Each structure stands twice: as C-alpha cells, then as structure tokens.
Amino acid sequence: MPNKNNEPKNIIGVFDSGLGGLTVLKHFLDYLPDYNYIYLGDNARLPYGEKSPETIYEYTREAVEFLFENGCNLIIIACNTASAQALRKIQQEYLPAHWPERRVIGVIRPLAEHFANPKFKKIGVIGTKSTIEAGAYQMEIKKLSSRHKVLEKSAPLLVPLIEEGWAQKPETKMILKKYLHTLKTEQIDALILGCTHYPFLLPEIKKIMGKNVIVPDPGKVIATSLKTYLDKHPELKLKKISAGKRQYFTTDNPQLFQKLGEKFLGQKMTKVNQVKISEL
Ligand code: DGL
C-alpha cells in the first residue's frame, strides 16, 4: 500500500471497541474542549477482549485507517485491549509505512505513569481477558518502577453487562463483588480500571473497595496526559478552535449507540453515523 496523501483536518480521533471510550472522550471534552473530535466505536465487532491478538490488531488497524482517512491528525486508542494488543505494531510498522506524519497513542502508558508513584505499593488492575493476559499494566509499571507489586484480574462479564445497559442491576453488582474479592483481600492501595467501560461502575467499585483504596477515573488521568502530549507535539498541527466540532461513528446500530452513548458521555450527541470499516 502506498503512503496516503490526504491532508489532516485538525481533528483528534478517539477509538474504542464500543461505547466505553466515551467515558474517556467525556474528559477530553471537559478538559480540552477547544479541539475537533471524531469518535469511532466498533460496536459491531465488540467484544475485543475475548479475541486473538491478530484479530485485535486487524480491527484496530482498520479503525485507525478510517480515522486518518477522515482527517485525524492524532488518534487516541481509548480501548485498553487494543492498546495492549495492537498499539505497538501500529506505531512501529503500520504508521511508518502508511501515515508517517501522523500519530497514534494509547492509554496504558499514561495510566502506568500515574500509578507508578511511591505513594502506592500494591496496585490492582481489572481489565478484559486479553488485556490481563497480555500483562500490559504489569509490564508498563515495571518499566517505570521495580518496587511496585501489581496484581491483575480479568473481569470478562462486565463489558457485555454494561453495553446491555445493565450497569445498575443487582446481578452486575454481585458479579463485580466477586471479581474484586481477591484484590480486596490482598489489601491493594490503588486500583486501575483497565477497561473503558468500568468507569460506569466507579461509585460501586469505590464502595466495594472501601476508603483505603484509591480508584481514579482513568479518563481524567488520560485527559491530563493528552494535554501534556499536545503541548510537546506542535508538529502535529492541532490547533485550538473556539467551537470544536464533534462527530460520532459506530459500526453498529446508530440509534442504540446514541441512546446508551449519551449516558456514557453525560451529554447530548450530535447525529451518530453508521459506517463500515471492515475490508471484508
Ligand atoms: N473497550 C475495551 C477495553 O477498554 C473493552 C471492551 C471489549 O472487550 O471490546 O479494554
């Protein structure tokens, strides 16, 4: 494939396997409102968390391609699973060959930097099967500090329950309690919500873990780190504008996306467009 020549249009792309990334976009819109954003949720192929690394890479590559073709200068892969399984290959192989002037960043590094802090000793992580099997947080935190103990636990049932609009049901709370049990017994100091969907359960998670465990909203941490990244990379030519535009795309039902998405985002959405990103 040759290099792509279409010009970037001063837009930040945010990608997730589904609706969960809206919990990250929400903080970008609060903290960095003066930019244009395109959000893409690959709802039709969710969950990524149960798929093979090869499949996750292919899906993520197609999403990145779509967002760059639609004018994004920079893409944030909000999805932890895609960040864990596909980001490195996208950055090291796909970008240099096809979009050498553009950038793709993920969410694991900024969260690891935030948590690799001397005030924490034992850090818990919950995420999808794939993120936990990749040991993504474990590895990233170890690169920054050898003193931290990282305990990881996969929580595969939470994403489908949340996408189904079941976040507040007693069944979900019961399952959540079961997933958090070991981490609670281990007396961790802080917990990383290593999946874009989990902030929807933040109050319940905090309640279960108790006052002594710090559980930050990952979107806030990622938004702060995005600001630092933008300040350090003027070559991306992302300019602030007073009325930043927002565009929303999903690969599945746009009505459903909008209905649940507005809950995730905490605000009204403009029109949601359905798109096909798969080459198959
Ligand atoms: N968005 C994914 C993440 O942050 C979870 C959903 C999925 O399994 O596709 O890991």
Side-chain angles (χ1 to χ4, degrees), residues 117-164:
N117 180 314
K119 72 179 179 206
F120 307 128
K121 285 192 187 69
K122 245 190 205 180
I123 303 162
V125 185
I126 49 171
T128 64
K129 233 186 230 168
S130 183
T131 301
I132 300 303
E133 271 167 17
Y137 280 98
Q138 178 90 250
M139 263 184 327
E140 215 52 56
I141 292 172
K142 291 278 174 238
K143 276 189 215 161
L144 298 162
S145 142
S146 54
R147 282 176 309 169
H148 288 85
K149 188 164 182 207
V150 182
L151 304 168
E152 299 181 290
K153 170 91 188 138
S154 67
L157 293 174
L158 299 181
V159 169
L161 288 165
I162 294 166
E163 287 270 330
E164 202 51 45

Short mmCIF file of all heavy atoms in Angstrom, two decimals, residues 117-164:
data_model
loop_
_atom_site.label_atom_id
_atom_site.label_comp_id
_atom_site.label_asym_id
_atom_site.label_seq_id
_atom_site.Cartn_x
_atom_site.Cartn_y
_atom_site.Cartn_z
N ASN A 117 3.78 5.46 41.33
CA ASN A 117 4.03 6.58 42.22
C ASN A 117 4.40 5.99 43.59
O ASN A 117 3.76 5.03 44.02
CB ASN A 117 2.69 7.35 42.29
CG ASN A 117 2.74 8.55 43.17
OD1 ASN A 117 3.23 8.50 44.29
ND2 ASN A 117 2.21 9.65 42.68
N PRO A 118 5.41 6.56 44.25
CA PRO A 118 5.85 5.97 45.53
C PRO A 118 4.73 5.87 46.58
O PRO A 118 4.83 5.08 47.52
CB PRO A 118 6.94 6.92 46.01
CG PRO A 118 7.26 7.80 44.87
CD PRO A 118 6.19 7.72 43.85
N LYS A 119 3.66 6.67 46.42
CA LYS A 119 2.62 6.59 47.45
C LYS A 119 1.81 5.28 47.36
O LYS A 119 1.09 4.94 48.29
CB LYS A 119 1.72 7.83 47.45
CG LYS A 119 0.77 7.95 46.31
CD LYS A 119 -0.06 9.23 46.47
CE LYS A 119 -0.99 9.35 45.28
NZ LYS A 119 -1.42 10.62 44.91
N PHE A 120 1.95 4.55 46.26
CA PHE A 120 1.30 3.24 46.16
C PHE A 120 2.36 2.13 46.21
O PHE A 120 3.44 2.29 45.64
CB PHE A 120 0.56 3.10 44.82
CG PHE A 120 -0.41 4.21 44.53
CD1 PHE A 120 -0.36 4.90 43.32
CD2 PHE A 120 -1.39 4.56 45.45
CE1 PHE A 120 -1.25 5.92 43.03
CE2 PHE A 120 -2.29 5.58 45.18
CZ PHE A 120 -2.21 6.26 43.97
N LYS A 121 1.99 1.02 46.87
CA LYS A 121 2.93 -0.11 46.87
C LYS A 121 2.32 -1.28 46.09
O LYS A 121 2.94 -1.85 45.22
CB LYS A 121 3.20 -0.56 48.31
CG LYS A 121 4.11 0.38 49.06
CD LYS A 121 4.59 -0.27 50.36
CE LYS A 121 5.35 0.71 51.22
NZ LYS A 121 4.46 1.80 51.78
N LYS A 122 1.07 -1.57 46.44
CA LYS A 122 0.39 -2.69 45.79
C LYS A 122 -0.72 -2.13 44.92
O LYS A 122 -1.64 -1.47 45.42
CB LYS A 122 -0.26 -3.55 46.88
CG LYS A 122 0.29 -4.91 47.02
CD LYS A 122 -0.62 -5.71 47.95
CE LYS A 122 0.12 -6.83 48.61
NZ LYS A 122 -0.74 -7.59 49.51
N ILE A 123 -0.63 -2.40 43.61
CA ILE A 123 -1.62 -1.85 42.69
C ILE A 123 -2.44 -2.98 42.08
O ILE A 123 -1.87 -3.95 41.57
CB ILE A 123 -0.91 -1.07 41.56
CG1 ILE A 123 -0.03 0.03 42.16
CG2 ILE A 123 -1.91 -0.46 40.58
CD1 ILE A 123 1.01 0.57 41.21
N GLY A 124 -3.74 -2.86 42.10
CA GLY A 124 -4.60 -3.84 41.46
C GLY A 124 -5.00 -3.34 40.07
O GLY A 124 -5.03 -2.13 39.82
N VAL A 125 -5.27 -4.27 39.17
CA VAL A 125 -5.74 -3.90 37.83
C VAL A 125 -6.89 -4.82 37.47
O VAL A 125 -6.79 -6.04 37.65
CB VAL A 125 -4.65 -4.12 36.74
CG1 VAL A 125 -5.13 -3.62 35.38
CG2 VAL A 125 -3.33 -3.48 37.12
N ILE A 126 -7.98 -4.24 36.97
CA ILE A 126 -9.01 -5.10 36.36
C ILE A 126 -9.12 -4.71 34.89
O ILE A 126 -8.97 -3.54 34.53
CB ILE A 126 -10.39 -5.03 37.08
CG1 ILE A 126 -10.84 -3.59 37.32
CG2 ILE A 126 -10.38 -5.82 38.37
CD1 ILE A 126 -12.28 -3.47 37.83
N GLY A 127 -9.39 -5.70 34.05
CA GLY A 127 -9.48 -5.44 32.62
C GLY A 127 -10.09 -6.64 31.92
O GLY A 127 -10.52 -7.60 32.56
N THR A 128 -10.10 -6.57 30.59
CA THR A 128 -10.63 -7.71 29.83
C THR A 128 -9.61 -8.86 29.89
O THR A 128 -8.45 -8.65 30.26
CB THR A 128 -10.85 -7.34 28.35
OG1 THR A 128 -9.58 -7.04 27.77
CG2 THR A 128 -11.79 -6.16 28.20
N LYS A 129 -10.06 -10.03 29.47
CA LYS A 129 -9.18 -11.21 29.45
C LYS A 129 -7.91 -10.91 28.68
O LYS A 129 -6.80 -11.23 29.11
CB LYS A 129 -9.95 -12.34 28.75
CG LYS A 129 -10.02 -13.59 29.56
CD LYS A 129 -10.66 -14.66 28.73
CE LYS A 129 -11.78 -15.33 29.51
NZ LYS A 129 -12.62 -16.17 28.70
N SER A 130 -8.09 -10.29 27.52
CA SER A 130 -6.96 -10.05 26.63
C SER A 130 -5.94 -9.07 27.24
O SER A 130 -4.73 -9.28 27.13
CB SER A 130 -7.50 -9.53 25.31
OG SER A 130 -6.48 -9.37 24.42
N THR A 131 -6.44 -8.00 27.85
CA THR A 131 -5.54 -7.01 28.46
C THR A 131 -4.76 -7.66 29.61
O THR A 131 -3.55 -7.47 29.76
CB THR A 131 -6.35 -5.81 29.00
OG1 THR A 131 -7.06 -5.24 27.91
CG2 THR A 131 -5.48 -4.77 29.65
N ILE A 132 -5.45 -8.45 30.41
CA ILE A 132 -4.81 -9.07 31.57
C ILE A 132 -3.83 -10.16 31.10
O ILE A 132 -2.71 -10.25 31.60
CB ILE A 132 -5.86 -9.65 32.55
CG1 ILE A 132 -6.77 -8.51 33.05
CG2 ILE A 132 -5.21 -10.40 33.71
CD1 ILE A 132 -6.10 -7.35 33.73
N GLU A 133 -4.23 -10.95 30.11
CA GLU A 133 -3.32 -11.99 29.61
C GLU A 133 -2.05 -11.39 29.00
O GLU A 133 -0.97 -11.96 29.09
CB GLU A 133 -4.03 -12.87 28.56
CG GLU A 133 -4.73 -14.04 29.23
CD GLU A 133 -5.69 -14.77 28.29
OE1 GLU A 133 -5.60 -14.59 27.06
OE2 GLU A 133 -6.56 -15.50 28.82
N ALA A 134 -2.19 -10.21 28.40
CA ALA A 134 -1.01 -9.54 27.81
C ALA A 134 -0.10 -8.99 28.91
O ALA A 134 1.05 -8.63 28.66
CB ALA A 134 -1.46 -8.41 26.89
N GLY A 135 -0.59 -8.91 30.15
CA GLY A 135 0.21 -8.37 31.27
C GLY A 135 0.62 -6.93 31.01
O GLY A 135 1.67 -6.46 31.45
N ALA A 136 -0.24 -6.21 30.28
CA ALA A 136 0.13 -4.88 29.78
C ALA A 136 0.47 -3.89 30.90
O ALA A 136 1.50 -3.20 30.83
CB ALA A 136 -1.01 -4.34 28.93
N TYR A 137 -0.35 -3.82 31.91
CA TYR A 137 -0.10 -2.86 33.00
C TYR A 137 1.11 -3.29 33.83
O TYR A 137 1.95 -2.47 34.22
CB TYR A 137 -1.35 -2.68 33.86
CG TYR A 137 -2.32 -1.74 33.20
CD1 TYR A 137 -3.40 -2.23 32.47
CD2 TYR A 137 -2.14 -0.38 33.27
CE1 TYR A 137 -4.27 -1.36 31.83
CE2 TYR A 137 -3.00 0.51 32.64
CZ TYR A 137 -4.07 0.01 31.92
OH TYR A 137 -4.92 0.87 31.29
N GLN A 138 1.15 -4.59 34.11
CA GLN A 138 2.28 -5.16 34.85
C GLN A 138 3.60 -4.72 34.20
O GLN A 138 4.49 -4.20 34.85
CB GLN A 138 2.11 -6.68 34.77
CG GLN A 138 3.15 -7.51 35.40
CD GLN A 138 2.81 -7.79 36.85
OE1 GLN A 138 3.48 -7.26 37.72
NE2 GLN A 138 1.78 -8.58 37.11
N MET A 139 3.70 -4.92 32.87
CA MET A 139 4.93 -4.63 32.14
C MET A 139 5.25 -3.14 32.14
O MET A 139 6.37 -2.73 32.37
CB MET A 139 4.77 -5.09 30.69
CG MET A 139 5.37 -6.45 30.47
SD MET A 139 5.34 -7.02 28.78
CE MET A 139 3.89 -6.38 28.02
N GLU A 140 4.23 -2.34 31.89
CA GLU A 140 4.44 -0.90 31.76
C GLU A 140 4.86 -0.29 33.11
O GLU A 140 5.73 0.56 33.16
CB GLU A 140 3.15 -0.26 31.23
CG GLU A 140 3.32 0.90 30.31
CD GLU A 140 4.23 0.70 29.11
OE1 GLU A 140 3.99 -0.23 28.33
OE2 GLU A 140 5.19 1.49 28.96
N ILE A 141 4.23 -0.77 34.19
CA ILE A 141 4.58 -0.24 35.52
C ILE A 141 5.99 -0.69 35.90
O ILE A 141 6.78 0.09 36.42
CB ILE A 141 3.53 -0.64 36.59
CG1 ILE A 141 2.21 0.08 36.29
CG2 ILE A 141 4.01 -0.30 38.00
CD1 ILE A 141 1.02 -0.34 37.11
N LYS A 142 6.32 -1.94 35.58
CA LYS A 142 7.67 -2.46 35.90
C LYS A 142 8.76 -1.68 35.17
O LYS A 142 9.86 -1.52 35.68
CB LYS A 142 7.79 -3.95 35.54
CG LYS A 142 6.95 -4.86 36.43
CD LYS A 142 7.65 -5.18 37.76
CE LYS A 142 6.76 -5.96 38.69
NZ LYS A 142 6.45 -5.45 39.97
N LYS A 143 8.43 -1.19 33.95
CA LYS A 143 9.42 -0.39 33.21
C LYS A 143 9.73 0.90 33.96
O LYS A 143 10.81 1.45 33.85
CB LYS A 143 8.84 0.01 31.84
CG LYS A 143 9.00 -1.05 30.77
CD LYS A 143 8.58 -0.42 29.42
CE LYS A 143 7.92 -1.43 28.54
NZ LYS A 143 7.12 -0.82 27.47
N LEU A 144 8.74 1.39 34.73
CA LEU A 144 8.90 2.67 35.40
C LEU A 144 9.40 2.51 36.83
O LEU A 144 10.02 3.41 37.38
CB LEU A 144 7.54 3.41 35.43
CG LEU A 144 6.95 3.75 34.06
CD1 LEU A 144 5.48 4.07 34.17
CD2 LEU A 144 7.70 4.94 33.46
N SER A 145 9.10 1.37 37.45
CA SER A 145 9.50 1.17 38.84
C SER A 145 9.49 -0.32 39.18
O SER A 145 8.52 -1.02 38.88
CB SER A 145 8.50 1.91 39.75
OG SER A 145 8.24 1.17 40.91
N SER A 146 10.56 -0.77 39.83
CA SER A 146 10.62 -2.21 40.16
C SER A 146 10.01 -2.46 41.54
O SER A 146 9.87 -3.60 41.97
CB SER A 146 12.06 -2.68 40.10
OG SER A 146 12.83 -1.84 40.94
N ARG A 147 9.65 -1.37 42.26
CA ARG A 147 9.21 -1.56 43.64
C ARG A 147 7.73 -1.87 43.79
O ARG A 147 7.27 -2.26 44.83
CB ARG A 147 9.51 -0.29 44.45
CG ARG A 147 10.98 -0.21 44.84
CD ARG A 147 11.25 1.07 45.54
NE ARG A 147 10.73 2.19 44.73
CZ ARG A 147 10.62 3.43 45.16
NH1 ARG A 147 10.92 3.73 46.39
NH2 ARG A 147 10.16 4.39 44.38
N HIS A 148 6.98 -1.64 42.72
CA HIS A 148 5.54 -1.84 42.83
C HIS A 148 5.13 -3.28 42.60
O HIS A 148 5.63 -3.94 41.70
CB HIS A 148 4.81 -0.95 41.82
CG HIS A 148 4.84 0.49 42.19
ND1 HIS A 148 5.89 1.30 41.86
CD2 HIS A 148 3.96 1.25 42.89
CE1 HIS A 148 5.66 2.52 42.33
NE2 HIS A 148 4.50 2.51 42.96
N LYS A 149 4.17 -3.73 43.43
CA LYS A 149 3.60 -5.05 43.19
C LYS A 149 2.29 -4.83 42.43
O LYS A 149 1.46 -4.01 42.84
CB LYS A 149 3.35 -5.72 44.55
CG LYS A 149 2.96 -7.15 44.40
CD LYS A 149 3.08 -7.91 45.70
CE LYS A 149 2.69 -9.35 45.40
NZ LYS A 149 2.16 -10.04 46.53
N VAL A 150 2.13 -5.54 41.32
CA VAL A 150 0.92 -5.35 40.50
C VAL A 150 0.13 -6.66 40.46
O VAL A 150 0.65 -7.70 40.09
CB VAL A 150 1.30 -4.91 39.06
CG1 VAL A 150 0.05 -4.67 38.22
CG2 VAL A 150 2.16 -3.65 39.08
N LEU A 151 -1.13 -6.58 40.86
CA LEU A 151 -2.00 -7.77 40.87
C LEU A 151 -3.10 -7.56 39.85
O LEU A 151 -3.85 -6.57 39.93
CB LEU A 151 -2.63 -7.95 42.25
CG LEU A 151 -1.64 -8.04 43.41
CD1 LEU A 151 -2.38 -7.92 44.74
CD2 LEU A 151 -0.89 -9.35 43.34
N GLU A 152 -3.20 -8.48 38.88
CA GLU A 152 -4.16 -8.28 37.79
C GLU A 152 -5.28 -9.30 37.83
O GLU A 152 -5.05 -10.47 38.17
CB GLU A 152 -3.43 -8.35 36.45
CG GLU A 152 -2.36 -7.27 36.31
CD GLU A 152 -1.64 -7.31 34.98
OE1 GLU A 152 -0.88 -8.25 34.75
OE2 GLU A 152 -1.88 -6.40 34.18
N LYS A 153 -6.46 -8.85 37.45
CA LYS A 153 -7.62 -9.75 37.48
C LYS A 153 -8.53 -9.43 36.29
O LYS A 153 -8.92 -8.27 36.09
CB LYS A 153 -8.36 -9.48 38.81
CG LYS A 153 -9.70 -10.13 38.93
CD LYS A 153 -9.58 -11.51 39.56
CE LYS A 153 -10.91 -12.22 39.50
NZ LYS A 153 -10.84 -13.61 39.15
N SER A 154 -8.86 -10.44 35.51
CA SER A 154 -9.76 -10.16 34.39
C SER A 154 -11.22 -10.21 34.86
O SER A 154 -11.56 -10.95 35.78
CB SER A 154 -9.53 -11.15 33.24
OG SER A 154 -9.92 -12.43 33.62
N ALA A 155 -12.04 -9.39 34.23
CA ALA A 155 -13.45 -9.28 34.63
C ALA A 155 -14.32 -9.32 33.36
O ALA A 155 -15.00 -8.36 33.02
CB ALA A 155 -13.64 -7.97 35.39
N PRO A 156 -14.29 -10.48 32.66
CA PRO A 156 -14.88 -10.54 31.31
C PRO A 156 -16.38 -10.29 31.20
O PRO A 156 -16.85 -9.89 30.14
CB PRO A 156 -14.53 -11.96 30.83
CG PRO A 156 -14.19 -12.73 32.04
CD PRO A 156 -13.65 -11.75 33.04
N LEU A 157 -17.11 -10.51 32.28
CA LEU A 157 -18.57 -10.35 32.14
C LEU A 157 -19.05 -8.90 32.20
O LEU A 157 -20.18 -8.60 31.83
CB LEU A 157 -19.29 -11.15 33.23
CG LEU A 157 -19.16 -12.68 33.14
CD1 LEU A 157 -19.78 -13.34 34.35
CD2 LEU A 157 -19.82 -13.20 31.86
N LEU A 158 -18.17 -8.01 32.66
CA LEU A 158 -18.65 -6.63 32.90
C LEU A 158 -18.98 -5.87 31.61
O LEU A 158 -19.98 -5.14 31.56
CB LEU A 158 -17.63 -5.85 33.73
CG LEU A 158 -17.35 -6.42 35.13
CD1 LEU A 158 -16.34 -5.54 35.87
CD2 LEU A 158 -18.64 -6.55 35.95
N VAL A 159 -18.17 -6.05 30.57
CA VAL A 159 -18.41 -5.27 29.33
C VAL A 159 -19.78 -5.58 28.73
O VAL A 159 -20.57 -4.66 28.47
CB VAL A 159 -17.27 -5.47 28.31
CG1 VAL A 159 -17.63 -4.89 26.96
CG2 VAL A 159 -16.00 -4.82 28.84
N PRO A 160 -20.11 -6.87 28.49
CA PRO A 160 -21.44 -7.13 27.92
C PRO A 160 -22.57 -6.63 28.80
O PRO A 160 -23.58 -6.12 28.29
CB PRO A 160 -21.50 -8.65 27.77
CG PRO A 160 -20.22 -9.20 28.27
CD PRO A 160 -19.28 -8.09 28.56
N LEU A 161 -22.42 -6.71 30.11
CA LEU A 161 -23.48 -6.23 31.00
C LEU A 161 -23.66 -4.72 30.86
O LEU A 161 -24.79 -4.21 30.80
CB LEU A 161 -23.15 -6.58 32.47
CG LEU A 161 -23.29 -8.06 32.83
CD1 LEU A 161 -22.60 -8.36 34.16
CD2 LEU A 161 -24.76 -8.48 32.90
N ILE A 162 -22.55 -4.01 30.77
CA ILE A 162 -22.63 -2.54 30.65
C ILE A 162 -23.18 -2.14 29.28
O ILE A 162 -24.04 -1.26 29.18
CB ILE A 162 -21.25 -1.91 30.92
CG1 ILE A 162 -20.85 -2.16 32.37
CG2 ILE A 162 -21.25 -0.42 30.61
CD1 ILE A 162 -19.40 -1.89 32.69
N GLU A 163 -22.70 -2.80 28.22
CA GLU A 163 -23.19 -2.47 26.86
C GLU A 163 -24.69 -2.75 26.77
O GLU A 163 -25.40 -2.15 25.96
CB GLU A 163 -22.45 -3.29 25.79
CG GLU A 163 -21.02 -2.85 25.55
CD GLU A 163 -20.85 -1.77 24.47
OE1 GLU A 163 -21.64 -1.73 23.52
OE2 GLU A 163 -19.89 -0.97 24.58
N GLU A 164 -25.17 -3.66 27.59
CA GLU A 164 -26.57 -4.03 27.58
C GLU A 164 -27.41 -3.04 28.40
O GLU A 164 -28.64 -3.14 28.45
CB GLU A 164 -26.66 -5.44 28.19
CG GLU A 164 -27.86 -6.28 27.87
CD GLU A 164 -28.18 -6.39 26.39
OE1 GLU A 164 -27.26 -6.62 25.59
OE2 GLU A 164 -29.36 -6.24 26.04
#
